[in-house]
Amino acid sequence: MIVLPEMVNKLTLFSGIPEADKKTMLEAGHIRNIRRGHTLFLHGEPVAYFYIVIGGTIQLFRVNQGGDEKTISLIEPGQTICEDEILNASGAHRLNAKAVEDTVLIQFASSWLRDNARKYTSLAFNLLNLMADHSHEFEVEAEQQATMSAAQLVACFLQKLCVLHKLDPRGYKLPYSKTLIASRLGMELETFSRALTKLRQHGITIKGSRVSINNPSLLRQYVCNSCSITDECPAYKAIHGICVCDWQGLPKGKRD
Amino acid sequence: MIVLPEMVNKLTLFSGIPEADKKTMLEAGHIRNIRRGHTLFLHGEPVAYFYIVIGGTIQLFRVNQGGDEKTISLIEPGQTICEDEILNASGAHRLNAKAVEDTVLIQFASSWLRDNARKYTSLAFNLLNLMADHSHEFEVEAEQQATMSAAQLVACFLQKLCVLHKLDPRGYKLPYSKTLIASRLGMELETFSRALTKLRQHGITIKGSRVSINNPSLLRQYVCNSCSITDECPAYKAIHGICVCDWQGLPKGKRD
DNA sequence: CGACACTTTGAAGACGATCAACGCCGGTGG
DNA sequence: CCACCGGCGTTGATCGTCTTCAAAGTGTCG
């Protein structure tokens, strides 16, 4: 018998399902360990499993013609992988996945997800919720990529890191390599590095992998100015706790 | 009593639901006409309805600080609006929507969607499918935006237009203004215009709103070279019929 | 201590955005 | 019928930002 970590039981994905049923459901899962740098699956392979990350980090990425990786997202403990690919008709992985560090996950046959979503309305609903949130995050990110400068993107990333990982903004360590972060932000390593330099003038200092955000105005809750209706942007706040969409510490199009 | 267009009955969204039940469900809808240029809803307003477009086109867009619009997507007959916002917890619109041309849609109270998804497993499943597809399309688009040059994006757009609207590539009329297309592709009108000029050298001619694609190699079914596994990219083909991800007629980084 | 991965810095070039001017066209009003 | 206007698209010039290539610097782990 497998002892599932307590956190899996508490996932909102399984909320609304009777405890007994949940227990049975989760017993179908198998623990899997992926060594740092090893591959979980590749683009084009058939979609066989649904995964829940328990420890470590999984990188989802594409490889373009030139051979370099573009990171789509980084999956952390408590998050899931492949729900969309399973629920989609295509049947093949659309991304590559590998472990950034030694990673532990639980895997379920993909039919497990489909069958249980059919059986438990709550699960189907939680999945709908999850996917709606994802696609919203994606929209926001796409807009930011298009609108903001490299330095702004980096600043937002560092801020979000604090909020989501509950780090102390006064001084924390980057959880990933700079190369990985640059790839995650869709920029070249050199651009990322130069962005860090610029941020020093705005109260964000980075030495090695040690970050500290000293500009107090970067730490309070933001109110979104870019909304067309009111001064507040509840949608953003609901998801991120902060409203990063209007971080304007670095006006665009201005020389240093 | 409202006479619903036949097409609504055939939507895959409602597949698997008994005809009688479907009929009752759909009778809850109200026809709504939106005049060209008029607004359907604004960012920040509460999410009140689920919409199915029957005729015309709805533009979903954001307005950024500078005041100009960034088009997120163009919704055509047979497509739906707001399913994600309804299934998401936030409760407020995250986008603006207006009619590009005179548009007809059916609207349902947002609770209608939630309740019926709870009642009919098939509907919940079809929604999951739909959203999984959307998020995939989004991923592809985000990648293309990041990878391809303006000219490549335009070429792909024109190609897709042929496929999705079943137009004759030898000569067809742009269904939208160039300003709108440019906004949809995330570029300035000037950039779009210059891209059209470049495409002439590659067998795509545009005069006014008349397009013709003369380069035969741009018309056959594409096989994806950028996949890491095989020569074929079933995921792309499944969705688009063509694999636009490897359109390389215009090598990047080369001067004209 | 040396090897190697990772990061920084510099210089040059490509690309798209922006600003400005102009051309084209359809509509309106005198 | 003509003059004027506004919406829309094109073209040119300039400028900022990011990428690319190249080389040097830093850190870590055997």
Side-chain angles (χ1 to χ4, degrees), chain A residues 43 62 88 133 143 229, chain B residues 43 62 88 133 143 229 248:
Chain A
H43 179 164
R62 285 172 187 280
N88 181 74
D133 280 353
E143 183 180 6
I229 301 300
Chain B
H43 179 162
R62 285 173 187 280
N88 180 74
D133 280 352
E143 182 180 9
I229 300 302
Q248 296 180 349

Side-chain angles (χ1 to χ4, degrees), chain B residues 179-197:
Chain B
T179 307
L180 182 57
I181 297 174
S183 158
R184 174 68 242 281
L185 294 175
M187 63 185 71
E188 297 304 312
L189 177 58
E190 294 94 323
T191 307
F192 179 75
S193 182
R194 283 185 247 268
L196 292 182
T197 311

Side-chain angles (χ1 to χ4, degrees), chain A residues 128-189:
Chain A
L128 281 168
N129 237 289
L130 187 74
M131 291 179 50
D133 280 353
H134 276 179
S135 70
H136 179 212
E137 282 173 38
F138 237 146
E139 276 173 29
V140 173
E141 220 181 285
E143 183 180 6
Q144 292 191 343
Q145 290 281 347
T147 312
M148 309 201 316
S149 71
Q152 287 178 311
L153 288 168
V154 172
C156 282
F157 180 86
L158 295 176
Q159 265 186 292
K160 261 208 234 177
L161 219 51
C162 277
V163 175
L164 298 178
H165 288 225
K166 307 219 166 86
L167 300 169
D168 177 10
R170 300 270 148 207
Y172 65 91
K173 217 167 146 306
L174 287 177
Y176 314 117
S177 76
K178 293 184 178 175
T179 307
L180 181 58
I181 296 175
S183 157
R184 175 66 240 281
L185 294 175
M187 64 185 73
E188 297 303 313
L189 175 59

Side-chain angles (χ1 to χ4, degrees), chain A residues 219-239:
Chain A
L219 293 175
R220 59 159 211 279
Q221 299 282 92
Y222 285 94
V223 173
C224 177
N225 295 316
S226 70
C227 297
S228 36
I229 301 300
T230 70
D231 255 345
E232 291 241 8
C233 175
Y236 282 88
K237 289 213 321 210
I239 288 188

Side-chain angles (χ1 to χ4, degrees), chain A residues 43 62-63 65 84 87-88 94 96 114 118 125 129 131-133 136 138-139 143 229 236 248, chain B residues 43 62 65 84 87-88 94 114 118 125 129 131-133 136 138-139 143 226 229 236 248:
Chain A
H43 179 164
R62 285 172 187 280
V63 178
Q65 295 84 322
D84 51 346
L87 297 163
N88 181 74
R94 304 176 309 216
N96 307 286
R114 269 195 295 265
R118 209 170 272 287
F125 251 71
N129 237 289
M131 291 179 50
D133 280 353
H136 179 212
F138 237 146
E139 276 173 29
E143 183 180 6
I229 301 300
Y236 282 88
Q248 296 179 349
Chain B
H43 179 162
R62 285 173 187 280
Q65 294 85 322
D84 51 347
L87 297 163
N88 180 74
R94 304 176 309 217
R114 268 195 295 266
R118 208 170 273 288
F125 249 71
N129 238 287
M131 292 180 50
D133 280 352
H136 178 212
F138 236 146
E139 276 173 29
E143 182 180 9
S226 70
I229 300 302
Y236 282 87
Q248 296 180 349

